[in-house]
Structure formats: C-alpha cells, structure tokens
Amino acid sequence: MCKVYYTKSVNLSDLKKELQKKADLSHAEILQKFFKTGPGEYGEGDVFIGIKVPELRKSAETHQGLYLKDIEKLLRSRIHEERMVALFILRIQYEKAFKEEENVLPYINLYLNNATRINNWDLVDTSAPYILGHYLLKEDREVLYTFAKSPNLWKKRIAIISTFAFIKEKKFKDTLKIAELLLHEKHDLMHKAVGWMLREIGNRNLATEERFLKKHYQDMPRTMLRYAIEKFPEKRRKEYLLGKV
C-alpha cells in the first residue's frame, strides 16, 4: 500500500498563494522569451509568473506533503512554475517511498499519465531521470520505446533523458537504441537531448560512444553531433566535423 507523505498544514491553496507572492512579472517576460512561448514555438502558450528555480525548490520542500491528487492538479496547471513545483514534490515523494521500500507505482503512474503536461525541456530534464528513469533501472523499459515513437515532442524527450539514470549506472544499451530511433528527428531540442546523452556515455566509456558515432555521425543532425563531441580533444572534434574519421 502506498504511504502518503503529508501533514495537515499542507494544502494546494496555500502553495498557490505562496507562489503568487514570489511572482516577478519582469522576470516572467524574460522566461517567456527564453522558453519560446510565442506562436509556432515549442513552448507556445506556456505561462510564466517569474519564479527562479531555487525558490521553486524551497516551495516544494515546504509543501512536500501535498496529496497526490493535488500534485496532479498542479501538474495540469497552465502556469509553468506550478507544474515545475508539482514535479519537484513528486520527485521528493517518490524518493522517500523508494527509500522506505513503499509502493512507488502511484508516483510513476501519475508521471506517465500526465506526460503531455511535462511540456518544456526544463520540466523533462529535472524529472525524467530521477523519477521514471530511476524506477526503470529494474523494470521493463518498453514504455521508453513507446514514448520515443510518439508524435509528441515531450514524450520523445522524456524517453531519451530518462536513460540518463541508466548511463549513470554504466548501462548504455537502451540509450543507444533510443538514440537510433531519434536520429532523424527534426526538432533541435531532440538533437540537443540525444547529443547530450551520447556525450554522457562518452564521459564514462569513450569507446562505446565512438562506436556509435562512427556508424552514424555522417547522417546525424549537426547540432546532435556537436553536442555529442563537445568534450573531445580539438583535433578529434574537427575530424568528426570535417567527416574525416
């Protein structure tokens, strides 16, 4: 049975009021541009109220006992910072449940059922490896392949970024397979994500990364390649960029 981490003093209304007090409209304008929220951009329609990440983490710690049903409500908010806090709280609760050997499926199911609300790159990157990826270290990983084949950009990014948890354990197979599935994605957010994960593999096992690159570097998007070889010695980087490997 799932243990719920909450106290009577924690409720959704109080958290929302706290976030509104921390709002900074001048900073929100900067974030709206940075996260590409204009018409036709990847974050179209996303709404920011201008709260910096350290402050969001503080609010998550203070309200970490929020009921799961309220975390889900928050994750479905139109406000970006509210969704971010929801994910921070979900991660705290997941990690506590895992540590205490409680049932973690309610947290995983909530994450998967609301994957389309994890709809900007920072939301994905601060949650996917630490919740879904961590859980899948010892579970069937088919959901990542399903997400990788989805038409939804954010599910695709969740698929590859979740594998960071595997990379940290020096398990590279799924990252490489998913990277192949995403090799010809058109969006630069995917080019950067795949290149980043390949680079992380190389940080731990350069030979494994280079085997993949030698097979695919001439066909992969330029941004993906640049991210993947960012830490290479300058001479080796140029060899890849000039197609002389």
Side-chain angles (χ1 to χ4, degrees):
M1 186 172 179
C2 177
K3 181 186 289 186
V4 179
Y5 297 92
Y6 70 92
T7 63
K8 291 182 179 179
S9 61
V10 176
N11 65 71
L12 183 58
S13 178
D14 287 345
L15 175 53
K16 286 191 171 188
K17 289 177 182 177
E18 180 179 304
L19 294 176
Q20 287 297 327
K21 288 180 181 179
K22 292 183 177 183
D24 181 341
L25 295 181
S26 62
H27 187 54
E29 290 182 10
I30 296 172
L31 294 174
Q32 295 278 161
K33 294 177 181 178
F34 183 74
F35 285 97
K36 308 295 183 184
T37 62
E41 295 181 312
Y42 64 75
E44 180 177 359
D46 206 351
V47 175
F48 287 81
I49 58 175
I51 309 174
K52 295 181 179 180
V53 171
E55 286 300 316
L56 294 174
R57 290 188 184 277
K58 287 180 184 178
S59 291
E61 286 289 339
T62 303
H63 297 83
Q64 64 180 268
L66 203 65
Y67 285 105
L68 280 178
K69 64 179 182 180
D70 288 333
I71 295 175
E72 186 165 33
K73 288 178 183 177
L74 205 59
L75 193 50
R76 294 181 178 181
S77 169
R78 68 189 185 94
I79 297 174
H80 186 99
E81 288 90 344
E82 291 188 353
R83 300 200 304 283
M84 178 70 87
V85 167
L87 291 168
F88 284 154
I89 295 173
L90 187 66
R91 176 179 169 182
I92 291 169
Q93 292 194 10
Y94 166 79
E95 289 175 346
K96 283 186 175 181
F98 181 85
K99 184 177 180 180
E100 297 186 17
E101 299 184 344
E102 298 287 342
N103 179 19
V104 298
L105 276 177
Y107 308 102
I108 299 303
N109 288 336
L110 190 154
Y111 192 88
L112 292 174
N113 291 339
N114 292 277
T116 57
R117 301 303 300 152
I118 306 168
N119 55 355
N120 218 313
W121 59 264
D122 61 327
L123 301 177
V124 173
D125 297 359
T126 57
S127 65
Y130 311 104
I131 300 174
L132 184 58
H134 181 270
Y135 171 72
L136 293 177
L137 279 169
K138 296 183 179 180
E139 301 293 337
D140 182 89
R141 300 169 185 176
E142 186 59 33
V143 64
L144 297 185
Y145 293 88
T146 300
F147 273 26
K149 296 171 185 176
S150 167
N152 183 275
L153 170 64
W154 307 114
K155 284 187 174 183
K156 292 176 188 289
R157 190 167 175 109
I158 288 171
I160 189 66
I161 298 297
S162 289
T163 70
F164 196 12
F166 314 157
I167 294 170
K168 290 176 181 177
E169 299 294 323
K170 297 184 179 180
K171 299 176 181 179
F172 309 133
K173 181 178 69 174
D174 291 289
T175 305
L176 297 173
K177 286 184 176 181
I178 292 171
E180 282 190 323
L181 289 175
L182 299 173
L183 205 59
H184 301 296
E185 283 297 313
K186 295 181 180 179
H187 206 292
D188 72 334
L189 283 179
M190 295 310 306
H191 303 167
K192 293 173 182 177
V194 173
W196 172 23
M197 291 302 101
L198 292 174
R199 184 176 72 232
E200 292 296 340
I201 289 175
N203 288 342
R204 293 158 178 82
N205 190 316
L206 184 58
T208 297
E209 182 190 6
E210 288 228 55
R211 278 196 298 272
F212 183 91
L213 290 177
K214 286 175 183 177
K215 182 179 179 181
H216 297 294
Y217 83 97
Q218 291 182 319
D219 297 323
M220 67 171 52
R222 200 71 164 175
T223 297
M224 188 184 294
L225 177 61
R226 287 186 180 277
Y227 267 63
I229 63 175
E230 185 178 26
K231 299 292 181 67
F232 282 23
E234 184 63 20
K235 180 182 178 183
R236 192 60 169 163
R237 277 192 353 100
K238 288 183 176 178
E239 288 173 347
Y240 274 102
L241 292 173
L242 294 173
K244 296 181 178 180
V245 176

